[in-house]
Each structure stands twice: as structure tokens, then as C-alpha cells.
Amino acid sequence: MTEAVTVTQDSFRSSVIDADQPVIVDFWASWCGPCKQMEPVLRDIAEEYDGRATVAKVNVEEERLLASMYQIMSIPALLVFNEGKKVAEFHGKQSKAQLTDALDSLV
């Protein structure tokens, strides 16, 4: 079973920017209800796209500088990276179809 990768400021470059496949980065917090609702969707995507895309999670409470760098003003915020560049951005609760549509154009 493939799971989301926890990413910190120290591992962001290697896990996201230098990744050899698309990455969805979930900026979240433990107290965020919509963030919790996104967990099963992101878990499904991580499993279905295993080997083709990565789901990464950034806890904004622990990684404030990283959240600030990407101007995260509300959560959940989901940023899609491909070849080191942000190519899509979603805010709030998203459907699985919206996220997989973004990934399908990249894989």
C-alpha cells in the first residue's frame, strides 16, 4: 500500500522539485476539517498512481516557512508540481476527479 510522503523544508527540494514524476503537495493542518476529508481521496490517488506520481504532505503548523514560500493562505491547498515547476493549484476540498484530471495530463 502506497502512502503519502511527509515533506519538510529540508526534504522539499529532493521530494518535490527534483522528483522524476509529478507530485501533488497537500498543505494541511491537524485541526482542519476539510483537510481531514481530503485524506481518503489523497490516499486513493497515492495508491492508484503508484510509480507514476507522488502524493506529498506538508503540515503548515510545522513548516510555516515552506507554507509562506508558496503563499499558502488557506488550507487545504494542493499544488501540483511537474519537472520542478508548479503547474496547477487547488484550494479547499477537491473531488478525486479534479485532482486525477490534473495528474492524467502529466503522466
Side-chain angles (χ1 to χ4, degrees):
M1 176 160 133
T2 303
E3 304 222 357
V5 176
T6 299
V7 178
T8 65
Q9 184 177 342
D10 292 336
S11 64
F12 194 85
R13 174 165 287 288
S14 63
S15 298
V16 177
I17 302 300
D18 295 338
D20 58 358
Q21 60 189 14
V23 182
I24 293 181
V25 182
D26 174 27
F27 287 85
W28 68 283
S30 60
W31 48 263
C32 169
C35 297
K36 291 179 183 177
Q37 293 173 341
M38 288 301 303
E39 286 180 16
V41 171
L42 293 170
R43 188 173 29 241
D44 286 351
I45 291 171
E47 288 180 19
E48 287 178 30
Y49 286 78
D50 184 28
R52 298 183 296 146
T54 300
V55 175
K57 298 181 73 65
V58 174
N59 184 328
V60 297
E61 293 176 305
E62 297 171 0
E63 300 298 330
R64 293 180 192 274
L65 183 59
L66 196 51
S68 176
M69 285 174 53
Y70 285 95
Q71 301 175 342
I72 304 303
M73 304 303 265
S74 63
I75 53 174
L78 299 131
L79 279 54
V80 180
F81 288 81
N82 190 45
E83 297 178 352
K85 295 177 178 63
K86 181 176 70 169
V87 296
E89 189 169 338
F90 302 92
H91 296 276
K93 186 178 173 195
Q94 303 295 311
S95 71
K96 181 178 176 183
Q98 288 171 301
L99 298 174
T100 57
D101 283 351
L103 281 179
D104 287 342
S105 68
L106 302 171
V107 294

